[in-house]
């Protein structure tokens, strides 16, 4: 299978490239991997197939056409400007999250000749906006309250329409907040959910900017890669033309996160967390939804963790090389 990953230098893109190289799609090996991002993506270790890395801005004139020129069978579109940045820089957010997405879909349509690739698009729970019911079901309206959420919601509509018209075979994944995000914090307002676990697990201090009763929806990076791999292979007929699915996850409070940290790494790790209320971050995250019932995705076989102990165990195993029984 020939696979193109756009946004392949990002947190999920790198992990997805490694998973594609190691496991392929539904047992079929990936023979040809195209990895594109504004910064040159790394080549997954030990991949024996053909691999090409491209430093390219998807929003640039002609970039999308060049990327699909040799008709990859599966395209993962992960390139995006994250929530905080899309809110701070209106032009950049629309240029990347909307215009470049449309340019990609148009390039696929223009290829013609019956070309109809599987396109896996990463959307977000940010397509929803308050007021929220206690639990959000699959039929909840999409009325985003951020520019990022609006751009993702439009991307979902384009994915539906280009699928309906037969130009591509799309699956949109509304990802939960991915936790524990490895590496250094990015400009997402959700960063602290990862920082308060990742830093203490490494013996470093962390700041908690919100109340610990705050509840939110999470899945691990490993689960997210699993969603992407699964989406590349599912039968899309049951989706009809509602191509985007809320992904499974775990509804947990900050206090639940901290209790799991205490169980795994002890009180000395918890003592590294300092409460420093930040009204700006609190104002953003207080408007986020707390719980979902992603019945459609579960019925289609998408799976995530069911406890924060598991999410921490995945981090210990995948990022710190410490095998952990609970990560299974
Ligand atoms: N991580 C999460 O919690 C989360 C939650 C919901 C949705 N998502 C979505 O999942 C996707 C991947 O998330 P991530 O956490 O890996 O993000 P990330 O920021 O780590 O990676 C995104 C990548 O896109 C690249 N990119 C940005 N603009 C580009 C352009 N014009 N052309 C080419 N590449 C460009 C960036 O360089 C970056 O490497 C994104 O679409 C994001 O919106 C992530």
């Amino acid at each position: 299978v020939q696979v193109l990953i756009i946004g392949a230098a990002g947190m999920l893109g790198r992990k997805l490239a490694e998973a594609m190289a190691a496991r392929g799609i539904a047992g079929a090996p990936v023979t040809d991997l195209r990895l594109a991002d504004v910064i040159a993506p790394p080549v997954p270790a030990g991949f024996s197939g053909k691999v090409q890395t491209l430093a390219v801005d998807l929003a640039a004139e002609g970039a999308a056409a060049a990327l699909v020129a040799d008709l990859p069978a599966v395209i993962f579109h992960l390139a995006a400007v994250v929530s905080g940045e899309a809110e701070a820089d209106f032009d950049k957010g629309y240029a990347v999250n909307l215009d470049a997405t449309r340019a990609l879909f148009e390039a696929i349509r223009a290829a013609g000749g019956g070309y109809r690739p599987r396109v896996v698009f990463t959307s977000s729970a940010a397509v929803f906006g308050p007021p929220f019911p206690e639990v959000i079901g699959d039929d909840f309206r999409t009325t985003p309250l951020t520019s990022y959420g609006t751009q993702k919601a439009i991307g979902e509509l384009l994915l539906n329409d280009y699928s309906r018209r037969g130009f591509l075979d799309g699956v949109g994944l509304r990802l939960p907040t991915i936790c524990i995000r490895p590496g250094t914090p990015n400009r997402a307002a959700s960063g602290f959910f990862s920082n308060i676990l990742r830093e203490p697990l490494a013996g470093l201090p962390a700041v908690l900017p919100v109340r610990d009763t705050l509840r939110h929806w999470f899945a691990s990076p490993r689960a997210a890669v699993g969603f992407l791999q699964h989406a590349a292979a599912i039968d899309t007929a049951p989706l009809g033309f509602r191509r985007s699915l809320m992904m499974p996850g775990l509804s947990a409070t900050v206090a639940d996160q901290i209790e799991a940290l205490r169980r795994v790494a002890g009180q000395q790790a918890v003592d590294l967390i300092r409460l420093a209320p930040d009204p700006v971050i609190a104002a953003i995250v207080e408007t986020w939804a707390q719980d979902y019932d992603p019945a459609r995705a579960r019925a289609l076989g998408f799976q995530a963790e069911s406890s924060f102990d598991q999410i921490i165990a995945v981090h210990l195993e995948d990022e710190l090389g410490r095998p952990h029984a609970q990560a299974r």
Side-chain angles (χ1 to χ4, degrees):
V1 190
Q2 193 193 98
V3 171
L4 167 64
I5 303 175
I6 308 171
M11 188 270 286
L12 291 179
R14 287 164 183 251
K15 289 180 178 293
L16 177 64
E18 283 168 16
M20 286 286 126
R23 298 194 291 279
I25 296 175
V30 170
T31 50
D32 187 335
L33 201 48
R34 280 304 137 87
L35 306 173
D37 200 297
V38 274
I39 47 171
V43 175
F47 181 56
S48 55
K50 202 171 135 195
V51 61
Q52 198 181 346
T53 61
L54 303 129
V56 55
D57 176 357
L58 183 64
E61 183 82 40
L67 285 179
V68 303
D70 47 11
L71 313 180
V74 179
I75 300 174
F76 293 96
H77 175 27
L78 279 66
V81 169
V82 296
S83 53
E85 194 175 2
E87 205 61 19
D89 189 338
F90 187 87
D91 292 305
K92 188 175 180 187
Y94 273 89
V96 174
N97 296 345
L98 176 57
D99 300 342
T101 297
R102 173 102 199 275
L104 172 65
F105 295 177
E106 270 301 285
I108 293 167
R109 181 172 80 98
Y115 178 51
R116 188 169 170 267
R118 173 63 52 92
V119 174
V120 181
F121 170 65
T122 44
S123 186
S124 163
V127 298
F128 300 121
F132 295 121
E134 214 157 285
V135 178
I136 294 182
D138 285 321
D139 297 329
F140 192 61
R141 64 189 156 70
T142 52
T143 46
L145 273 192
T146 58
S147 294
Y148 170 81
T150 303
Q151 292 143 13
K152 291 290 191 185
I154 300 170
E156 290 189 358
L157 283 175
L158 292 174
L159 193 74
N160 287 345
D161 198 42
Y162 280 67
S163 295
R164 184 183 65 81
R165 298 294 298 256
F167 305 136
L168 51 81
D169 184 16
V171 183
L173 308 180
R174 293 170 179 156
L175 297 179
T177 288
I178 304 304
C179 189
I180 300 171
R181 191 183 171 90
T184 49
N186 69 355
R187 293 184 66 183
S190 54
F192 71 87
F193 287 121
S194 287
N195 300 347
I196 60 165
L197 300 177
R198 185 189 58 239
E199 302 304 301
L201 284 169
L204 298 169
V207 170
L208 173 61
V210 300
R211 61 186 167 87
D212 72 357
T213 48
L214 186 79
R215 181 175 282 283
H216 194 53
W217 185 248
F218 302 98
S220 74
R222 189 194 285 181
V225 169
F227 301 155
L228 290 159
Q229 282 193 293
H230 191 61
I234 57 168
D235 173 13
T236 51
L239 296 180
F241 296 111
R242 287 170 63 204
R243 293 287 175 138
S244 290
L245 299 161
M246 186 66 212
M247 287 293 106
L250 165 69
S251 176
T253 62
V254 169
D256 293 335
Q257 291 189 283
I258 293 173
E259 281 316 303
L261 177 67
R262 196 189 319 273
R263 281 191 292 275
V264 175
Q267 183 61 34
Q268 71 272 26
V270 173
D271 289 341
L272 289 165
I273 303 173
R274 184 172 58 86
L275 180 65
D278 179 332
V280 176
I281 293 193
I284 297 172
V285 299
E286 292 283 350
T287 68
W288 291 350
Q290 307 193 336
D291 200 359
Y292 296 84
D293 176 20
R296 291 180 83 210
R298 287 209 167 102
L300 287 162
F302 290 91
Q303 287 175 3
E305 291 82 13
S306 53
S307 76
F308 243 101
D309 299 60
Q310 260 178 311
I311 288 182
I312 293 177
V314 165
H315 179 77
L316 294 177
E317 191 164 295
D318 290 357
E319 309 301 331
L320 305 179
R322 283 153 53 182
H324 202 287
Q326 290 217 25
R328 300 290 126 203

